Amino acid sequence: MIIIIQCKDQIGLVADISQILSEAKLNIVSMREHVDKAESMFFMRLDVDGYSDEGVLTESMRRILPEGALIHVNPVSEKRIVVLVTKEYHCLADILVRNNFGTLGATVVGVIGNHDILQKICDRFDIPFSLISYTDVSGDPEQEMIDKINSYSPDYVILAKFMRILSPRFVASFADRIINIHHSFLPAFAGANPYRQAFERGVKLIGATAHFVTNDLDEGPIIAQQIIPVNHSFTAADMVKSGKEIETAVLAKAMRLVLSDRVFVYKNKTVVFDN
Amino acid sequence: MIIIIQCKDQIGLVADISQILSEAKLNIVSMREHVDKAESMFFMRLDVDGYSDEGVLTESMRRILPEGALIHVNPVSEKRIVVLVTKEYHCLADILVRNNFGTLGATVVGVIGNHDILQKICDRFDIPFSLISYTDVSGDPEQEMIDKINSYSPDYVILAKFMRILSPRFVASFADRIINIHHSFLPAFAGANPYRQAFERGVKLIGATAHFVTNDLDEGPIIAQQIIPVNHSFTAADMVKSGKEIETAVLAKAMRLVLSDRVFVYKNKTVVFDN
Amino acid sequence: MIIIIQCKDQIGLVADISQILSEAKLNIVSMREHVDKAESMFFMRLDVDGYSDEGVLTESMRRILPEGALIHVNPVSEKRIVVLVTKEYHCLADILVRNNFGTLGATVVGVIGNHDILQKICDRFDIPFSLISYTDVSGDPEQEMIDKINSYSPDYVILAKFMRILSPRFVASFADRIINIHHSFLPAFAGANPYRQAFERGVKLIGATAHFVTNDLDEGPIIAQQIIPVNHSFTAADMVKSGKEIETAVLAKAMRLVLSDRVFVYKNKTVVFDN
Amino acid sequence: MIIIIQCKDQIGLVADISQILSEAKLNIVSMREHVDKAESMFFMRLDVDGYSDEGVLTESMRRILPEGALIHVNPVSEKRIVVLVTKEYHCLADILVRNNFGTLGATVVGVIGNHDILQKICDRFDIPFSLISYTDVSGDPEQEMIDKINSYSPDYVILAKFMRILSPRFVASFADRIINIHHSFLPAFAGANPYRQAFERGVKLIGATAHFVTNDLDEGPIIAQQIIPVNHSFTAADMVKSGKEIETAVLAKAMRLVLSDRVFVYKNKTVVFDN
């Protein structure tokens, strides 16, 4: 069983929590704990051996935890995700492959694109693809997209190189459940054309950042980041090409972490309990 | 207070330990815990706020822990180290600088060399240097070295590019307390001239490994490792030069980890609770 | 145009070569050059703007180069590759995706497996898959495989986690044209079960190595290597899982380098002219 | 001999240059070349065996190169550097150690601090230290510093964690010869307190950047950058501590590159011919 706890810190929390587990004959395989002293917040992820009724366990926990505590006992293990794309295939294909072989830690229930270029790769994997174009200005494509996503009841919405800015209405519809991959090591080069910006600045490394989406563009809580070295011989196009490799890797890592309930969000930051 | 525990695993350990802390009014700032399921071993490092008598706390712990448990409450915070060197300055100088500015996490009580080349840098930092040459075959330089080291009563002996193989007698004299830096990513290129071996093999990365010394050459428990990329343009001499940078960095990291009581040794492996 | 030269070194080579290009009105966009002084060998890769008859240019070059020189003017730009697999999907799927989107720098003309597990993913991408089982001991599956590969006339044979040892007969059939991905940072952990070996040794980093295949198991010229950090919390199974990510990345990188004529092989080493 | 060339690009440059070398009986050991096609600029670094009169060679080169070309034949091999510091020791001590053992590729002719804290470490290495305080507002400490630096006739001025902003007057006095280490992966977190900014933003990696100083704060041409991973358990103080390690490493790397004439500056970017 996996148990997730996030609450105000107080003395004796670990003792009280582990007492409950001990009484329930649950053996702790792995306990990850973090206290943010400045914010006086407590974060814990438990991996325990044995079985106990989830409702009873949650209730026991609630009795000893401070008011307002978040407790999840055995969060949904097989999440549902919807993937939003534009034209670039690399992140989507990586997700479809992992989904196909059962190693994604989630099920891709649908893909939505604002272009039809990636329809075909979805077909190859028997995943439904919906085209919602933004070129017809008479309609409300974003609302259409919100409705379509809602029809899938997903746990998370993955922006796999979806190249449009989302409105507050969209973000609010899936608060804390939208993950984006941005092609720079944020906060450097937020916004459009980060590789062009990186090329112009003459940096010696380029990066990618996976983060939760908020209403502040590219300002949401960071989940994972990675960089690769570049040099003067890289054109902006070379950076785009090399960058795709880490975009794919970083988004895959962020999804692995979020989908295995290893990421806590608090005050625009994340606590990540990786290996 | 720092509390270190290593023992056979059993159900309820975390509950029992945290109960003791709670009763002693000690608040857990950071709890790092690892269970090696295959070996059924339990490792824990606690950083707690508050104060409790060390002897009383150790005794309370011992009552609830399995027989044979290792418990250290507030291990010596300022360790004493002796550094052994031959001719290369980079690791020694880094240690002397950190020692000079009080950021080593230990005190260098003496340096012993089998050549006198590094006498001068020790003089610059007012650290005693002893020359024990291995060229005079009539004496027993290793016993002389053991005696000299013992006269310093060090917690750890650091081999900062000490280029001689140690006898079982030497290793036994300072069991589990000798740290070596080897200039390869072990187990690749154990033994002599690892950079020459790396050059001959045509590897695309070279590394450095800090490990505890056992009687099996370069086979002791690994504490830290790091690599840097190389390419066809590197001669063996270029590899030596670039390699020195990571030798220095890896040994510094390993010392930081060991000297802050973050490294547990078990069955020729280490458990390392880093940030 | 791309021009590749490998020959004994001699004074004035660059002057003579660039003189020929200048006379042919070819402008050098990028010139990469390496001299192995110990072996007195000269390696060059030229990327030039303009056009000149390939045969004439080759002939001009041959006149000024030492005897035995290798010269390739405009090597086949779209290579043909055959991929050999067993059960693991990650490297194959990555190759199929890149092939599908035209970014592999080669065409996958066929996949051969000694198990049928990966038939389906090949079907999804309309790539022919052949099952050649090794379990029926009455036949000669390796000869069957050689014949099948030859029927495709490939430029390269990619071992994308093909878990069988190849005989000298096989290696000789495709000398210098077989690329393997080995799941360790060679020369550490050659042979079977490298992650198990890595786990037992307690290393703090694991790696992957792409290399040309020779008759000495895991001893061929290394093309690319990469590592990721691990720690005590990784089981051997965790290492397998994390390792797959870099196996995929390293094989992709090695293929990109070889397929764009950036890799020279000499004396069991490679010269790699990457960005 | 080392030969450095920077000029407008034109057809036949490599042929003409290598022809001159060939006639002078100079054998090319290593030729590094870069063409910036967008800017139509040509950069070359030659390492040649043999000897030829420097003046004659320069003159021959000038005849075949476009007007305005920069040519350096055998640039000063042992540069003179002045180091500016405030209170932090790590970069300075690293420089002093390398200087002491003759591996810096330059001679430290003087250290200037705006605090006296680092006087003592300079004394240990017999390097002159000058205190020029900024606290006495009646004087003109910056002019004093310019005069002091000029008295040393240095090739480069190294800002080894000098924590004051330099005026245009200062920058103009040593144009293209001031190297700074900034404690972030620029352009992220320019200005004051980058680690605090990094902590607040919740990044998963922190970095350091060595760059030439211009009048735009932290906007000059980047020479080298590096990052290390961090996580939620790092306080801002932990980031400062970990960051020092890469600040030292990146500044050392940038100095090695610049001092061995491997760095070209053009349009606020660098071309770096490293191994």
Side-chain angles (χ1 to χ4, degrees):
Chain A
M1 303 180 79
I2 302 292
I3 303 164
I4 305 295
I5 297 166
Q6 176 173 344
C7 60
K8 291 300 283 182
D9 190 30
Q10 68 184 29
I11 291 197
L13 270 183
V14 174
D16 291 348
I17 292 166
S18 51
Q19 189 61 36
I20 288 174
L21 299 176
S22 185
E23 283 164 9
K25 304 284 182 228
L26 297 169
N27 195 27
I28 299 171
V29 175
S30 166
M31 166 184 274
R32 297 297 299 274
E33 174 255 11
H34 174 64
V35 175
D36 184 325
K37 293 184 84 170
E39 304 289 342
S40 192
M41 285 297 293
F42 175 88
F43 305 86
M44 180 173 273
R45 184 183 190 277
L46 289 154
D47 186 348
V48 300
D49 261 356
Y51 177 75
S52 181
D53 181 83
E54 295 170 18
V56 172
L57 197 57
T58 304
E59 200 42 51
S60 309
M61 289 288 182
R62 193 164 303 284
R63 267 196 296 274
I64 56 110
L65 294 177
E67 210 173 338
L70 300 176
I71 314 165
H72 292 285
V73 176
N74 273 355
V76 185
S77 66
E78 197 64 18
K79 274 85 170 178
R80 298 164 60 84
I81 66 169
V82 169
V83 184
L84 270 55
V85 297
T86 297
K87 293 180 178 174
E88 290 173 273
Y89 75 86
H90 54 289
C91 289
L92 173 63
D94 183 69
I95 291 169
L96 292 177
V97 165
R98 290 174 200 260
N99 182 64
N100 183 70
F101 287 99
T103 57
L104 184 64
T107 300
V108 178
V109 289
V111 176
I112 307 173
N114 60 325
H115 287 266
D116 64 1
I117 292 175
L118 298 173
Q119 164 93 55
K120 173 85 179 169
I121 185 74
C122 290
D123 292 350
R124 289 192 184 278
F125 283 103
D126 304 320
I127 299 297
F129 175 92
S130 311
L131 172 66
I132 298 181
S133 173
Y134 278 66
T135 51
D136 177 3
V137 292
S138 69
D140 182 352
E142 198 179 68
Q143 185 58 50
E144 209 181 321
M145 201 167 266
I146 292 171
D147 295 342
K148 185 72 199 173
I149 295 172
N150 275 326
S151 78
Y152 284 120
S153 305
D155 294 285
Y156 291 97
V157 177
I158 309 297
L159 308 186
K161 302 288 289 179
F162 181 66
M163 306 306 275
R164 296 197 65 92
I165 294 170
L166 302 170
S167 76
R169 175 180 54 160
F170 188 103
V171 173
S173 301
F174 311 101
D176 298 333
R177 293 191 289 144
I178 311 173
I179 297 171
N180 183 45
I181 179 73
H182 181 78
H183 35 315
S184 82
F185 49 98
L186 291 173
F189 312 129
N193 281 328
Y195 290 122
R196 168 54 58 182
Q197 293 181 58
F199 174 77
E200 297 294 347
R201 181 62 187 90
V203 291
K204 299 302 184 189
L205 46 84
I206 57 174
T209 304
H211 62 96
F212 286 107
V213 174
T214 61
N215 284 322
D216 300 307
L217 181 66
D218 300 330
E219 296 273 322
I222 293 172
I223 306 164
Q225 297 187 285
Q226 197 182 322
I227 60 96
I228 45 169
V230 294
N231 61 47
H232 58 266
S233 77
F234 283 70
T235 61
D238 290 334
M239 289 183 184
V240 169
K241 201 170 154 190
S242 293
K244 285 184 205 296
E245 307 288 332
I246 49 170
E247 292 167 22
T248 309
V250 170
L251 181 57
K253 179 180 177 183
M255 291 180 65
R256 172 177 66 75
L257 292 169
V258 170
L259 296 169
S260 58
D261 303 294
R262 296 175 175 278
V263 180
F264 297 70
V265 177
Y266 185 68
K267 288 221 161 188
N268 210 44
K269 290 191 197 181
T270 60
V271 170
V272 178
F273 292 136
D274 197 1
N275 287 71
Chain B
M1 302 179 81
I2 302 293
I3 303 165
I4 304 295
I5 298 167
Q6 177 173 342
C7 61
K8 290 302 283 182
D9 191 29
Q10 68 184 28
I11 291 196
L13 270 183
V14 174
D16 291 348
I17 293 166
S18 50
Q19 190 60 35
I20 289 174
L21 299 177
S22 186
E23 284 164 9
K25 305 283 182 229
L26 296 169
N27 195 26
I28 299 172
V29 176
S30 166
M31 167 185 272
R32 297 296 300 274
E33 173 255 10
H34 173 64
V35 175
D36 184 326
K37 293 183 82 168
E39 304 289 342
S40 192
M41 285 296 294
F42 175 88
F43 305 87
M44 178 172 274
R45 183 183 191 278
L46 291 153
D47 187 347
V48 298
D49 260 356
Y51 177 74
S52 181
D53 182 84
E54 296 169 18
V56 172
L57 196 58
T58 303
E59 199 40 52
S60 307
M61 290 289 182
R62 192 163 305 285
R63 268 198 295 273
I64 56 110
L65 295 177
E67 209 174 339
L70 300 175
I71 315 165
H72 290 285
V73 175
N74 273 354
V76 185
S77 65
E78 198 62 18
K79 275 84 169 176
R80 299 164 59 86
I81 65 170
V82 168
V83 184
L84 270 53
V85 297
T86 296
K87 292 180 178 174
E88 290 174 272
Y89 74 86
H90 53 291
C91 288
L92 174 63
D94 183 69
I95 291 169
L96 292 177
V97 165
R98 291 173 199 260
N99 183 64
N100 183 70
F101 287 97
T103 57
L104 184 64
T107 300
V108 178
V109 289
V111 175
I112 307 173
N114 60 325
H115 288 267
D116 65 1
I117 293 175
L118 298 172
Q119 164 95 52
K120 173 86 179 170
I121 187 73
C122 291
D123 291 350
R124 288 191 185 276
F125 284 102
D126 305 320
I127 299 296
F129 175 92
S130 310
L131 172 65
I132 298 180
S133 172
Y134 278 67
T135 50
D136 176 3
V137 292
S138 69
D140 182 351
E142 198 179 68
Q143 186 57 50
E144 210 180 320
M145 200 167 267
I146 292 171
D147 294 343
K148 186 73 197 172
I149 295 171
N150 275 327
S151 77
Y152 284 119
S153 305
D155 293 285
Y156 291 98
V157 177
I158 309 298
L159 308 186
K161 304 287 289 178
F162 181 65
M163 306 306 276
R164 297 197 64 93
I165 294 170
L166 302 170
S167 75
R169 174 179 55 160
F170 188 103
V171 174
S173 301
F174 311 102
D176 299 332
R177 294 192 289 145
I178 311 172
I179 297 172
N180 184 44
I181 179 72
H182 182 78
H183 36 316
S184 81
F185 50 97
L186 291 173
F189 311 129
N193 282 326
Y195 291 121
R196 168 54 56 181
Q197 293 181 57
F199 174 77
E200 298 292 349
R201 181 62 187 88
V203 291
K204 299 301 184 189
L205 47 84
I206 57 173
T209 304
H211 62 97
F212 286 106
V213 174
T214 61
N215 283 322
D216 300 307
L217 181 66
D218 299 328
E219 296 272 322
I222 293 172
I223 306 164
Q225 296 188 287
Q226 198 183 322
I227 60 94
I228 45 169
V230 293
N231 60 47
H232 58 266
S233 77
F234 282 70
T235 61
D238 291 335
M239 290 183 183
V240 169
K241 202 170 153 191
S242 294
K244 285 184 205 298
E245 307 288 332
I246 48 169
E247 292 167 24
T248 308
V250 170
L251 181 56
K253 180 179 177 184
M255 289 178 67
R256 172 177 65 77
L257 293 168
V258 170
L259 296 170
S260 57
D261 302 294
R262 296 175 175 279
V263 180
F264 297 70
V265 178
Y266 185 67
K267 286 223 162 189
N268 211 44
K269 290 192 197 181
T270 61
V271 171
V272 178
F273 293 135
D274 198 1
N275 286 73
Chain C
M1 302 179 79
I2 302 292
I3 303 165
I4 304 295
I5 297 166
Q6 177 173 342
C7 61
K8 289 302 280 183
D9 190 29
Q10 68 184 30
I11 291 196
L13 270 182
V14 175
D16 292 347
I17 292 167
S18 50
Q19 189 61 35
I20 288 174
L21 299 176
S22 186
E23 283 165 9
K25 307 281 182 227
L26 297 168
N27 195 26
I28 298 171
V29 176
S30 166
M31 166 185 272
R32 298 296 301 274
E33 173 256 10
H34 174 64
V35 174
D36 184 325
K37 292 183 82 169
E39 304 289 342
S40 192
M41 285 297 294
F42 176 88
F43 305 87
M44 180 172 274
R45 183 183 190 277
L46 290 153
D47 187 346
V48 299
D49 260 356
Y51 177 74
S52 180
D53 181 83
E54 295 170 17
V56 172
L57 197 57
T58 304
E59 198 41 51
S60 306
M61 289 288 182
R62 193 164 304 286
R63 267 197 296 274
I64 57 111
L65 295 177
E67 211 173 339
L70 300 176
I71 315 166
H72 291 286
V73 176
N74 272 355
V76 185
S77 65
E78 199 61 18
K79 273 84 169 176
R80 300 165 60 84
I81 65 169
V82 169
V83 184
L84 269 55
V85 297
T86 296
K87 293 179 178 176
E88 289 173 273
Y89 75 85
H90 53 291
C91 289
L92 174 63
D94 182 70
I95 291 169
L96 292 177
V97 165
R98 291 174 199 259
N99 183 64
N100 182 70
F101 287 97
T103 57
L104 184 63
T107 301
V108 178
V109 289
V111 175
I112 306 172
N114 61 325
H115 288 266
D116 64 1
I117 292 175
L118 299 172
Q119 163 94 55
K120 174 86 178 167
I121 186 73
C122 291
D123 291 351
R124 288 191 185 277
F125 284 103
D126 306 320
I127 299 296
F129 175 91
S130 311
L131 173 64
I132 297 181
S133 173
Y134 278 66
T135 50
D136 177 2
V137 292
S138 68
D140 182 352
E142 198 180 67
Q143 185 58 49
E144 209 180 320
M145 201 167 267
I146 292 171
D147 295 343
K148 186 73 197 170
I149 295 171
N150 275 328
S151 77
Y152 284 120
S153 305
D155 293 286
Y156 291 98
V157 178
I158 309 298
L159 308 186
K161 303 288 291 178
F162 181 66
M163 307 307 276
R164 296 197 64 93
I165 294 170
L166 301 170
S167 75
R169 175 178 56 159
F170 188 103
V171 173
S173 301
F174 310 101
D176 297 333
R177 294 191 290 144
I178 312 173
I179 297 171
N180 183 45
I181 179 72
H182 182 77
H183 35 316
S184 82
F185 50 97
L186 290 173
F189 311 129
N193 282 327
Y195 291 121
R196 169 54 56 182
Q197 292 181 57
F199 174 77
E200 298 293 348
R201 181 62 187 90
V203 290
K204 298 303 183 189
L205 46 85
I206 57 174
T209 304
H211 62 96
F212 286 107
V213 174
T214 61
N215 283 322
D216 300 307
L217 182 64
D218 299 329
E219 296 273 323
I222 293 172
I223 305 163
Q225 297 188 285
Q226 199 182 321
I227 60 95
I228 44 169
V230 294
N231 60 47
H232 58 266
S233 77
F234 283 70
T235 62
D238 291 334
M239 289 183 184
V240 169
K241 202 170 154 189
S242 294
K244 285 184 206 297
E245 308 289 332
I246 48 169
E247 292 167 23
T248 308
V250 170
L251 181 56
K253 180 180 177 184
M255 289 179 66
R256 172 176 66 75
L257 292 169
V258 171
L259 296 170
S260 57
D261 302 295
R262 295 175 176 279
V263 180
F264 297 71
V265 177
Y266 185 68
K267 286 222 162 190
N268 210 45
K269 290 192 197 180
T270 61
V271 171
V272 178
F273 292 135
D274 198 359
N275 287 69
Chain D
M1 303 179 80
I2 302 292
I3 302 165
I4 305 296
I5 297 167
Q6 177 173 343
C7 60
K8 290 302 282 183
D9 191 28
Q10 68 184 27
I11 291 196
L13 270 183
V14 174
D16 291 347
I17 292 166
S18 51
Q19 189 61 35
I20 288 173
L21 299 177
S22 186
E23 283 164 10
K25 306 281 182 232
L26 297 169
N27 195 28
I28 299 171
V29 175
S30 166
M31 166 184 273
R32 296 297 299 274
E33 175 255 9
H34 173 63
V35 174
D36 184 325
K37 292 183 84 169
E39 303 290 343
S40 192
M41 285 296 294
F42 175 89
F43 305 87
M44 179 172 273
R45 184 184 191 276
L46 290 153
D47 188 346
V48 298
D49 261 357
Y51 177 74
S52 181
D53 181 82
E54 295 169 19
V56 172
L57 197 58
T58 303
E59 200 41 51
S60 308
M61 289 288 182
R62 194 163 302 285
R63 269 197 296 274
I64 56 110
L65 295 176
E67 211 173 339
L70 300 176
I71 314 165
H72 290 286
V73 176
N74 272 355
V76 186
S77 65
E78 197 64 17
K79 275 84 170 176
R80 298 163 61 84
I81 66 171
V82 169
V83 184
L84 269 56
V85 297
T86 296
K87 292 180 178 174
E88 290 173 271
Y89 74 85
H90 53 291
C91 289
L92 173 64
D94 183 69
I95 291 169
L96 292 177
V97 165
R98 290 174 200 261
N99 182 64
N100 183 70
F101 287 98
T103 57
L104 185 63
T107 300
V108 178
V109 289
V111 175
I112 307 173
N114 61 325
H115 287 266
D116 65 1
I117 293 175
L118 298 173
Q119 163 95 53
K120 173 87 179 168
I121 185 75
C122 291
D123 292 350
R124 288 191 184 277
F125 283 103
D126 304 319
I127 300 295
F129 175 92
S130 312
L131 171 66
I132 298 181
S133 173
Y134 278 67
T135 50
D136 177 3
V137 291
S138 69
D140 183 351
E142 198 180 66
Q143 185 57 50
E144 209 182 320
M145 201 168 266
I146 292 171
D147 294 343
K148 185 74 198 172
I149 295 172
N150 276 326
S151 78
Y152 284 121
S153 305
D155 293 285
Y156 291 97
V157 177
I158 309 298
L159 308 186
K161 303 287 288 178
F162 181 67
M163 306 307 276
R164 296 197 67 91
I165 294 170
L166 301 170
S167 75
R169 176 179 55 161
F170 188 103
V171 174
S173 301
F174 311 101
D176 298 333
R177 293 191 290 145
I178 311 174
I179 297 171
N180 183 44
I181 179 73
H182 182 78
H183 36 315
S184 82
F185 49 98
L186 292 174
F189 311 130
N193 282 328
Y195 291 122
R196 168 55 58 181
Q197 292 181 58
F199 175 77
E200 297 294 349
R201 181 62 188 90
V203 292
K204 298 303 183 190
L205 46 85
I206 56 173
T209 304
H211 63 96
F212 286 106
V213 174
T214 61
N215 283 322
D216 300 307
L217 182 64
D218 299 330
E219 295 273 322
I222 294 172
I223 306 164
Q225 296 188 287
Q226 197 182 322
I227 60 95
I228 46 169
V230 294
N231 61 46
H232 58 266
S233 77
F234 283 69
T235 62
D238 291 334
M239 289 183 185
V240 169
K241 201 170 153 190
S242 293
K244 284 184 205 297
E245 307 288 331
I246 48 171
E247 292 167 23
T248 308
V250 170
L251 180 56
K253 180 180 176 183
M255 290 180 66
R256 173 177 64 76
L257 292 168
V258 170
L259 296 169
S260 57
D261 302 294
R262 295 174 176 278
V263 180
F264 297 70
V265 177
Y266 185 68
K267 289 222 161 188
N268 211 43
K269 289 191 197 182
T270 61
V271 171
V272 178
F273 293 135
D274 198 1
N275 287 72

